Amino acid sequence: MTFDAAYLPLLRELGDLKRIRSAERDGSIAERLFARGWAALAAGEVPAAVMRRTVAAALAAARLGDLDRATLAELGLSDAEARVVLERAFDEVAVLLDPALAAELRNALPDGAPAAGPVPRFVPQLATQPRAGVTCPGRPRLLLQPAENHAEHCLIVAVYGVLAAPGYGADPAEVFLASMAHHFHNAAMPDAGFTGEVLLGDLLDRVIDAAREQAMAMLDPAVAAQVRAAIAPIAGDATPAARAFHAADVLDRVLEIEQHLRAASATMDSVLHTYELVHAGPVKTFHDRVLSDVGLL
């Protein structure tokens, strides 16, 4: 089964990993998972293993944020206790996933995300390269701040793509690798969006190829060969992996804009009642009275 409307809440939660940050940790969860994934891939780890650990960690983080396996251990939980917490979070969000894929990812939870380590220079380049926003030839750019970066986009597309893979009959590891690499060119090439692509015209492919090769040259040739094989089909949508990738890519592009619009249109009634900003507790009655007295409730 391919994605339908029932998946949107999960996809939105996962997309918010671009916006969850914690003290003394640089970048969002998505940005850091991208870096850890590439540290493992560049070191020659098997893409399928990197995929499982990265996507499992992302699914648990949808509910737990940065309370990951390592942090829970630092806070005194045993391996068994941490596993229970991670599995509880995973199970809450995994109900719609292909059962075989869900079981495979759940089994990877005790390993945690790939370890931090040395990364090729394209990783920090992509993490500091903002996405273009909404652009259209002949029209001014529509900027929504804070802008996501290309590392965050690639990571979320990779997660979406893995979840979509069974519905398209695709290999999740192939989709993962293609997604993690699909914006290699933006490490060196600032993002001018659709407008820039049109203005480059017949020079576009040459510029993208030159920029992509700069990133490829930062990888061991054997790893670069794997990446080339994974991204070759996504020039179109003829293969199952390409279709899973493009489904993930377009959903992330649109949902990224949607989250800005949803936040801007949220009402105080929704925040206070649907989201229970002032939630049940020993002083809720007092809190409600304070808010009512000043006209906020």
Side-chain angles (χ1 to χ4, degrees):
M1 177 180 173
T2 55
F3 286 154
D4 59 23
Y7 283 86
L8 281 176
L10 171 59
L11 299 180
R12 289 177 179 129
E13 276 193 273
L14 289 166
D16 281 340
L17 297 182
K18 300 174 187 175
R19 289 166 277 279
I20 300 175
R21 298 168 183 267
S22 298
E24 298 186 335
R25 302 183 188 192
D26 293 332
S28 66
I29 291 176
E31 182 180 319
R32 284 181 269 117
L33 284 175
F34 179 79
R36 286 172 173 247
W38 271 112
L41 291 166
E45 292 191 29
V46 177
V50 180
M51 175 274 292
R52 286 190 291 269
R53 294 180 65 179
T54 303
V55 177
L59 285 162
R63 292 292 165 88
L64 286 172
D66 263 326
L67 284 175
D68 57 14
R69 185 184 68 87
T71 302
L72 292 171
E74 290 169 3
L75 295 173
L77 269 63
S78 68
D79 288 346
E81 289 170 329
R83 180 169 186 162
V84 168
V85 174
L86 293 168
E87 289 177 345
R88 191 178 294 150
F90 181 93
D91 291 344
E92 284 193 6
V93 300
V95 290
L96 293 175
L97 303 190
D98 172 81
L101 175 65
E104 186 179 356
L105 296 174
R106 195 177 192 269
N107 288 337
L109 286 171
D111 298 327
V119 294
R121 188 165 58 90
F122 64 72
V123 171
Q125 286 177 311
L126 288 168
T128 53
Q129 190 76 278
R131 300 270 288 160
V134 182
T135 70
C136 181
R139 298 180 183 275
R141 185 183 304 218
L142 176 61
L143 286 174
L144 298 171
Q145 297 293 329
E148 64 177 325
N149 62 53
H150 280 80
E152 292 168 330
H153 168 68
C154 288
L155 186 282
I156 296 302
V157 172
V159 173
Y160 287 2
V162 168
L163 303 189
Y168 290 95
D171 176 358
E174 182 182 348
V175 181
F176 177 81
L177 187 56
S179 301
M180 291 284 279
H182 79 285
H183 274 284
F184 263 15
H185 57 286
N186 284 118
M189 181 181 176
D191 191 354
F194 181 29
T195 298
E197 292 176 358
V198 170
L199 291 173
L200 280 165
D202 59 6
L203 300 173
L204 175 63
D205 288 345
R206 189 169 121 201
V207 171
I208 287 177
D209 288 346
R212 182 180 290 131
E213 285 308 308
Q214 290 185 30
M216 290 287 188
M218 300 175 195
L219 293 170
D220 179 272
V223 177
Q226 287 183 309
V227 173
R228 291 183 199 280
I231 65 173
I234 67 173
D237 62 1
T239 69
R243 288 190 286 275
F245 162 77
H246 284 293
D249 183 53
V250 72
L251 282 165
D252 183 59
R253 286 163 52 202
V254 174
L255 288 174
E256 175 63 20
I257 305 305
E258 186 217 41
Q259 71 87 20
H260 286 280
L261 302 180
R262 280 192 299 117
S265 62
T267 64
M268 187 57 70
D269 181 71
S270 173
V271 168
L272 287 173
H273 297 105
T274 303
Y275 286 90
E276 299 184 82
L277 177 65
V278 183
H279 48 77
V283 294
K284 185 178 189 306
T285 300
F286 177 74
H287 285 164
D288 286 346
R289 186 162 65 247
V290 171
L291 295 173
S292 180
D293 287 348
V294 297
L296 287 173
L297 188 64

